[in-house]
Amino acid sequence: MLEDNYAAVQKKIAEAAIRAGRNTEEVKLIAVTKTVNLATVKRAATLGIRDFGENRVQDAAEKVAALPELNWHFIGHLQSNKVKEVIPHYGLIHSLDRLSLAGALQKGADRSDLTVEALVQVNVSGEESKFGLEPRELVPFLDQVKIYDRLILKGLMTMAPFVDDPEETRIYFRRLRELRDRCRENHENLMELSMGMTNDYEVAVEEGATMVRIGSAIFNAHQ
Ligand SMILES: *Cc1c(COP(=O)(O)O)cnc(C)c1O
């Protein structure tokens, strides 16, 4: 059941935070609703969940429009021609992964007289199949996007490789945290670390995640 799943995830987050000597309140749970319908999102909201993640503009449109009072996070690959549909509805874009997208976000935000908050996606594992900047591209990228005054960068995001033993993901989460710490010397607003999914969120919390993006563990009962 949704309620039990949510309680179990919250408990595991709290335990992982304690193991790492962290405060649970530093970790925001984002419920990823890409596989569920509007009615299920509403039920999740009644449990007190306020942050929701979607990865496809079209599939999410109905849910996002129906529940504007919730905090929506865009977590999927974002095409530049879709930014105008995303900017008004989403509070945070987790997947800024290229300069051209930064330019499109600046332009879209300028047109609607808004600002856009985003995380820079980094491909720390180097897997070919994954989006994101290479770690060595990050500092030059941060310097290049400084000219975009409508774009507010809040931190970094990554996806770890999918492996059987979540312990194997630790190195990637640690690398993202170290990258953030290094970047913060010049970009002090880079606080957030969006990392950890159903398979590996406990390790991510131990390594400093400030946002975990969890779908299956909340919405698929067998987890
Ligand atoms: C689907 C998705 C998640 C959630 O995945 P689960 O394994 O179901 O928890 C997190 N982040 C991104 C980018 C996703 O696309």
Side-chain angles (χ1 to χ4, degrees), residues 32 34 55 75-76 157 159 196-199 213-217:
V32 177
K34 65 190 181 197
N55 70 337
I75 62 174
M157 178 272 221
M159 291 174 78
M197 309 176 17
T198 290
N199 200 45
R213 311 176 307 269
I214 301 180
S216 323

Side-chain angles (χ1 to χ4, degrees), residues 82-116:
K82 294 275 167 63
V83 299
K84 58 182 176 304
E85 293 158 69
V86 168
I87 290 171
H89 299 294
Y90 291 83
L92 185 65
I93 295 166
H94 290 231
S95 45
L96 174 56
D97 62 355
R98 60 199 188 278
L99 203 55
S100 59
L101 179 59
L105 289 169
Q106 165 74 19
K107 208 163 149 193
D110 205 28
R111 216 175 278 150
S112 357
D113 198 21
L114 294 168
T115 54
V116 186

